[in-house]
Each structure stands twice: as structure tokens, then as C-alpha cells.
Amino acid sequence: MFADNFWNTQGIADDKKDRQREVLRAIEQARHQHHARRQAQPIRYCYVAWSLIKIDGAILFYQREDTQKRFDKSAGDYGLIGGRANQNDVHGITNKTELLKTLQSPNSPIIKKALPETLKRELREEAGLQFETHYTFKPWRTLKPFRQVQGAAPNHALTEYYLAIFYVELTLDGYLFLRRKVDSDARLVWFSIADIADGEAVDGKIPYIKALYADYAGDHAALSADLSELPDSFAPGYVLNKEKFGITLPIDPGKPVAAGLLGKEKPLALTLSARQLALFLGLAAHLRGFDFTKLAEDLVLHPHGWVEIAEASPMRAELIELTALSNGSDWLIEKHKEKLFRLSMTPLSVFFADELFSFVVAPGDLNGVSSKIPVTIRRQSFDTAFGHVGEKSESFKISLELAHRLKSLTENQFSVDNDLAIKTEDAYKKGLHKDPRFQALGLRNLVRRDAGIVKFAERYLG
């Protein structure tokens, strides 16, 4: 039936390996599908550790080595980072023959216990991540034994898999390392939870997680819900996270920094040099996600407000000094390994000086009859120690009545118990003030109470 030396495995070409596998696959598929009692016994046993790394709601996958050798499209291109247990993962068995036998035995507690070591090795090999330095992990789900015809020729056979999935928590070093690694390695790919639920990404990439789908009995919605509930593998962890608290930074070094409960902020007893304020503004602007049109060459901006300063840069010493100055205050600069710095506050609690902002209404719209009119809030550009922050404008639709009421606040003084002023403030806070685009500008408030007066806080151009 077969040519001489058909089953020889020494030094053969890939096409011959593929033919061997095709034959074995046909035999094993027939044995599995046509067994009299539908209980064909596995020939191979594999123990597998998978990882779940979730960032910004997406799960990290790794391109499979056999992606070009698929027998059907549904086999998938990408798997969760992880792989099979091998001899080096298992401790406690010194006899090699016994160890190999145990690795090929069903439902072995010894091999299952070794899967955390498998996970560490696979994360190191496929993503470059080092245990403890870059991450820790904990069990997430142990899957029911899963059977399919699989394996490299000439070991292609009905296989029973024992899979354990671990949730990975990244350290700051691990998070930053992994971002660089994903950017430089095309084999590492993010799948959205919707992609996983659909079984295919919009660009045609296919996740190879048949065992996980089977463990959920094909209920992709339940899998999606569980993955959605899973927290991201890295949390920003801002040190200062007070409710209804804010800090406002001046642009003029002659003016104070104000902080406190929103609406009750007070000037801080803090004297900053022009240079220190420029550093402070750079940290705050990056934390807020502002765009720098020009950026200093000796730094790198990372997510969640982190700024990496080059070793030779004098900014390192300046920021270390500013970090020490912030200790015990209502603002806190956090540093990591003397090279990473950030303003460690929730971004939406950081605001910028009123004089940066203007409120613009076209006179034609203000004098027109439309019930809704466009208005623009503009933040002018400004300089920081990290570089130049560009101008930013956002347009909104508000009622013509509210536009006139806001204008009246610039022309007249209204006490905090004035009915018109109260209604104007209430309408503003229920609408424009809650718009995420408004909040992203870094403006504390358009309408403010000060010394018993309700006033419009910015320049009104219209």
C-alpha cells in the first residue's frame, strides 16, 4: 500500500511529512468518527497551559507555528500564549523513562501540577516575559478534557488535551515591555472580545481556542461575558484617587497651584520655579493625553501618564527633586527606577488655568432664530519642559437660550440665590459639563461660584 520507507522520519522533506500526516489523519478521523460505541480511545495525551493577558479590553494571541499547515479554516491562525508541558517543566521525577511515560499518560496529577512551570516557560519564549519581574499569575479556568485528531507527523493521532488557563497580572515593567514587544513582533496580535465571540477578527485572523469554546458548550455569549468581567492585566493604579477632588495648574509661575474639593479649591502653600512649573505642566499635559506638537528628544511618553527620561538628561535629577517636593502633598509625582515619572492622580482631576480657554459663539448664530446653535471651546497652545502642547478646539451644540444666559453671566453679576443664575448653572452642568469631549479639554468649569457670585469663568467671544 505504501512505498518503501514511506514511514521513515529521518531527514525527510516537509512535503513527505505532510503526506504522512494526511494518511494518519484520515485513519484517526475514521477511527474516532466510526467507533462502534463512539468511544475511541486517545493515542496521545497532552497537557497545556494557556495565558490570558487582557489590555484595554482585548486578549493577546500568538501566531501558531503550524498556521500554514491547516487542514481546515476553522483550525485557526492564533492561539493564546502558552503551550504543551515538556520534560523540563516537571520536577520530582528523576528517571527519564518514567518521566516520558508520565507525560504520555492520561489525567496525570504530576503533570497538571507542573503546568505553572509550562506557563512561565511559554511566556518567556513567546513574549519575552519574565516571571515576577514582568508578571504574576493565578488560575482562571481548568477545562474539561478535550479530544481531537492532532499532532505533527508521524505523531498525528486522536489526542486528549488537559488544559489550564491562567490569568496574568502585569507589573509596570512588564506592561511597558509587552507594549514594545507587541509593536516589534507581528506574531503577537490582540483580539477583541467581540472577535473571540465571533470566532474571527474583522481582518480574517482566526483564534484557535476550540477547547475553550467546547468547555462553554459552544455558548460564545457566556464566554464573552466572562472575558468582559475579567479585569485588565495592568491597572494604572494612581496613588491619589480622591472623589470630587481637583488640582488646577497655572501657566504663569507667579500664580499659585490650587487644589481641594471641587468648588472649594484653595491655593497651595507651594512655591515653584518657572522650570519646576514647566515640568509639572509637562507631566499634567501627558497624563491628560494632550498632543505635543514638539517633544524633547530625551524622553519617551508611555500610557497612563508615565514619562521615561533618558539617563543622560538633566531632567532626571530635576524630576527626582520635584518628586521629593510632592511627598505628602495634595499632588503626587511617582517615580519608578529613577527613570520613569508621572503625576499620579486620576486624569480627570487635573485642570489647567482659565486663561488658556475661550468660549466662542458666532454673532450670527447668537442673533439668529435656531433653537440649537454651535459653540466652540478653544484651548490655546502652551509650552512645557517636555515640549509644546498644541491648540485644541471642540464644537458643541447648545440651546440658543443657554447661549444667551451664559452671555448674561459675563455682563451682569448674579448672586448664588438668583433664580436665573441657578437655572443657567443647572442647565450647563446637566449638559455641556458632562460631555466627555468637554472634560478632555482640561477646563475646570465654565460656570463657577466665587465669593457669593455665579459667574462665567472663561473669555466669552461672540
Side-chain angles (χ1 to χ4, degrees):
M1 179 181 291
F2 299 108
D4 291 343
N5 299 320
F6 178 85
W7 295 108
N8 176 47
T9 61
Q10 299 297 319
I12 63 174
D14 286 344
D15 61 339
K16 187 171 182 180
K17 290 180 183 178
D18 289 342
R19 288 196 297 273
Q20 291 177 344
R21 180 161 55 175
E22 288 169 5
V23 171
L24 288 170
R25 180 177 179 81
I27 294 171
E28 282 295 275
Q29 288 281 32
R31 185 174 73 87
H32 180 43
Q33 295 170 4
H34 303 297
H35 189 273
R37 295 187 301 277
R38 309 291 292 177
Q39 294 179 356
Q41 292 303 299
I43 291 176
R44 298 171 67 239
Y45 298 92
C46 289
Y47 297 80
V48 177
W50 280 348
S51 67
L52 277 179
I53 300 177
K54 181 180 179 184
I55 298 293
D56 296 332
I59 307 296
L60 188 61
F61 281 70
Y62 185 81
Q63 190 171 29
R64 299 174 62 206
E65 294 177 356
D66 62 347
T67 187
Q68 301 301 322
K69 300 178 182 179
R70 295 177 297 165
F71 286 89
D72 60 272
K73 182 181 179 184
S74 65
D77 294 303
Y78 295 84
L80 293 168
I81 295 178
R84 292 174 51 191
N86 67 25
Q87 301 174 54
N88 297 322
D89 303 330
V90 184
H91 303 295
I93 302 179
T94 55
N95 183 284
K96 188 172 182 179
T97 301
E98 181 184 351
L99 175 56
L100 291 173
K101 183 179 178 181
T102 305
L103 278 166
Q104 274 299 308
S105 65
N107 204 26
S108 168
I110 294 175
I111 308 303
K112 288 181 178 179
K113 186 178 179 180
L115 286 177
E117 294 303 315
T118 304
L119 181 78
K120 295 177 191 177
R121 176 177 52 77
E122 292 287 349
L123 283 169
R124 183 175 63 253
E125 292 174 359
E126 295 184 349
L129 294 171
Q130 301 292 331
F131 178 59
E132 292 185 331
T133 298
H134 289 149
Y135 70 94
T136 57
F137 63 89
K138 57 187 177 184
W140 182 69
R141 189 179 182 98
T142 299
L143 307 191
K144 296 183 290 289
F146 176 75
R147 292 183 181 182
Q148 70 173 4
V149 176
Q150 190 61 271
N155 297 313
H156 205 76
L158 180 59
T159 305
E160 183 161 272
Y161 291 88
Y162 303 95
L163 298 102
I165 305 179
F166 300 87
Y167 167 69
V168 173
E169 294 177 295
L170 296 168
T171 64
L172 175 60
D173 288 325
Y175 171 68
L176 297 179
F177 175 88
L178 186 61
R179 283 181 58 86
R180 292 190 294 267
K181 181 71 174 177
V182 171
D183 287 344
S184 64
D185 190 339
R187 295 171 298 179
L188 291 164
V189 173
W190 297 104
F191 278 72
S192 72
I193 292 175
D195 293 338
I196 294 170
D198 292 341
E200 185 171 350
V202 293
D203 60 0
K205 294 184 177 71
I206 302 171
Y208 179 61
I209 48 173
K210 282 187 174 182
L212 184 55
Y213 288 144
D215 202 61
Y216 276 84
D219 189 344
H220 290 203
L223 171 59
S224 177
D226 284 351
L227 291 175
S228 296
E229 290 180 4
L230 198 67
D232 271 10
S233 292
F234 179 76
Y238 301 109
V239 176
L240 293 181
N241 190 14
K242 301 178 183 178
E243 291 188 11
K244 297 181 179 180
F245 181 88
I247 183 169
T248 302
L249 278 64
I251 295 299
D252 183 348
K255 294 183 178 180
V257 177
L261 292 176
L262 297 178
K264 297 182 179 180
E265 300 93 331
K266 295 181 179 179
L268 298 180
L270 173 69
T271 302
L272 295 176
S273 67
R275 177 62 178 174
Q276 288 173 324
L277 178 59
L279 290 164
F280 202 167
L281 286 169
L283 291 168
H286 176 48
L287 177 68
R288 271 301 207 141
F290 293 175
D291 291 327
F292 288 84
T293 57
K294 293 181 181 179
L295 193 65
E297 295 181 355
D298 51 358
L299 59 84
V300 177
L301 302 180
H302 296 296
H304 307 301
W306 287 104
V307 180
E308 184 173 354
I309 306 299
E311 185 175 1
S313 173
M315 272 196 288
R316 272 202 185 186
E318 293 173 324
L319 283 167
I320 289 171
E321 181 182 357
L322 195 59
T323 301
L325 184 63
S326 75
N327 287 338
S329 69
D330 285 329
W331 54 285
L332 180 68
I333 295 175
E334 187 179 1
K335 66 179 172 68
H336 180 71
K337 294 188 175 179
E338 307 290 321
K339 67 177 182 178
L340 288 160
F341 303 85
R342 72 167 174 178
L343 183 58
S344 194
M345 305 176 66
T346 51
L348 289 179
S349 68
V350 177
F351 306 99
F352 294 80
D354 290 341
E355 55 262 38
L356 284 177
F357 300 91
S358 54
F359 182 89
V360 184
V361 186
D365 291 325
L366 196 60
N367 297 321
V369 295
S370 297
S371 60
K372 293 275 190 179
I373 64 171
V375 300
T376 298
I377 300 176
R378 181 181 301 138
R379 187 190 68 228
Q380 69 186 53
S381 62
F382 61 98
D383 289 314
T384 78
F386 299 163
H388 187 75
V389 175
E391 180 183 296
K392 178 70 173 178
S393 295
E394 290 286 2
S395 295
F396 308 88
K397 281 288 189 74
I398 67 172
S399 70
L400 179 61
E401 180 183 7
L402 179 57
H404 279 290
R405 285 184 179 182
L406 293 173
K407 185 173 178 62
S408 71
L409 293 181
T410 70
E411 299 170 337
N412 306 283
Q413 286 195 339
F414 295 93
S415 66
V416 294
D417 59 358
N418 179 275
D419 187 57
L420 179 62
I422 291 171
K423 289 181 179 179
T424 302
E425 182 182 35
D426 186 58
Y428 153 71
K429 286 189 173 180
K430 288 181 178 179
L432 186 58
H433 186 72
K434 291 184 176 180
D435 192 305
R437 293 178 301 127
F438 174 88
Q439 295 175 348
L441 288 169
L443 169 61
R444 167 69 187 89
N445 226 330
L446 277 179
V447 179
R448 197 169 304 162
R449 296 189 177 203
D450 185 21
I453 300 297
V454 179
K455 65 179 186 178
F456 192 82
E458 317 306 328
R459 288 174 294 168
Y460 190 110
L461 305 177

